[in-house]
Amino acid sequence: MKIERLTPAIGAVISGINLNETLNAEAQQDLQAALVEHQVLFLRQQFLEAEQQRDIAQLFGDLHIHPIYPAHERVAEVMVLDSHKQDLRDNELWHTDVTFIQTPPLGCVLSAQQVPEFGGDTLWASSIAAYEALSEPFKELLAGLSASHDIRKSFPATRFAQTEADAARFEKAKRDHPPVSHPVVRTHPVSGKKGLFVSEGFTTHINELSEAESDALLRFLFAHATQPKFHVRWHWQAGDVAIWDNRSTQHFANFDYGTAHRIMHRATVLGDKPV
Ligand SMILES: O=C(O)CCC(=O)C(=O)O
Ligand SMILES: [Fe+2]
């Protein structure tokens, strides 16, 4: 397995492994270690079938089934993002996936099925690099804080409850997912590194602060954590796979391709409770 880093903060291209073949124990360990170290891995020319994508994701843990996004017709654990069937604007904002549950995903495996000729790039930012760039007094302020994360923030009814079936699914998703609380700074369970764990997608407020203080602090943290020096940007070719550590990153999917057809498949691995 060859690893080529893309930026000082985050991201690496992995070559020399084929995710369509069964990975031996050593290759699995190398991949898991690379994920923790580089936070997002890119593999070219993989052309994964949904079954294979599910099996690769399962090497990292149990899989999560999304309460709102549609599932692949054959594989329930693979969700489909299809620009001709869905309005994908909700991913065009910095977010960490599914932080609205008690045990947010450890990571995701995203597979590009069909991509526009140009545009549709995805960006990832390192929450560890963003945390490490803060001053010591600021880190001390954040250490004791927790924040609320709410599914309602990224999934407004106007876009996800258009048909009767969608509305029923949407109402159930909201009922099943009351807001949850996570520390503002989390310690990565494998590397032990600290990282910011708030993002614009789902974080609504900092629990211990007044509304005005929380708004100001979150605005700062969202802007701070997504500066170009903390991120990597990937231009997709069909067949590419990205695997990201969702405990130490956030991401942003550019919706700049108009009516072009873009189809992505995602498998989501459950993680542990952030501490
Ligand atoms: O479509 C993409 O590039 C990423 C969308 C996204 O946010 C996700 O799959 O979690
Ligand atoms: Fe996402």
Side-chain angles (χ1 to χ4, degrees), residues 98-149:
V98 195
T99 61
F100 53 81
I101 62 175
Q102 293 289 352
T103 56
L106 166 164
C108 294
V109 178
L110 189 67
S111 163
Q113 304 296 306
Q114 184 168 338
V115 294
E117 198 183 329
F118 46 85
D121 296 0
T122 308
L123 290 75
W124 283 263
S126 168
S127 314
I128 293 172
Y131 175 78
E132 288 176 353
L134 295 169
S135 68
E136 289 307 318
F138 206 85
K139 288 179 185 163
E140 274 169 40
L141 166 71
L142 299 182
L145 300 178
S146 66
S148 292
H149 296 243

Side-chain angles (χ1 to χ4, degrees), residues 199-272:
S199 73
E200 201 171 354
F202 299 111
T203 310
T204 53
H205 59 278
I206 296 182
N207 301 323
E208 296 80 5
L209 303 183
S210 71
E211 196 179 326
E213 289 168 345
S214 166
D215 287 351
L217 184 53
L218 283 180
R219 202 173 321 116
F220 168 75
L221 290 174
F222 295 160
H224 168 76
T226 57
Q227 294 175 76
K229 65 184 166 196
F230 304 133
H231 76 222
V232 64
R233 175 175 181 144
W234 187 250
H235 177 63
W236 297 96
Q237 309 282 339
D240 287 355
V241 169
I243 307 177
W244 67 89
D245 189 328
N246 197 60
R247 300 166 293 196
S248 61
T249 60
Q250 43 179 312
H251 57 278
F252 179 107
N254 256 315
F255 185 67
D256 58 356
Y257 45 91
T259 56
H261 204 180
R262 184 175 185 274
I263 306 173
M264 310 295 276
H265 287 173
R266 188 180 96 195
T268 308
V269 187
L270 280 166
D272 43 19

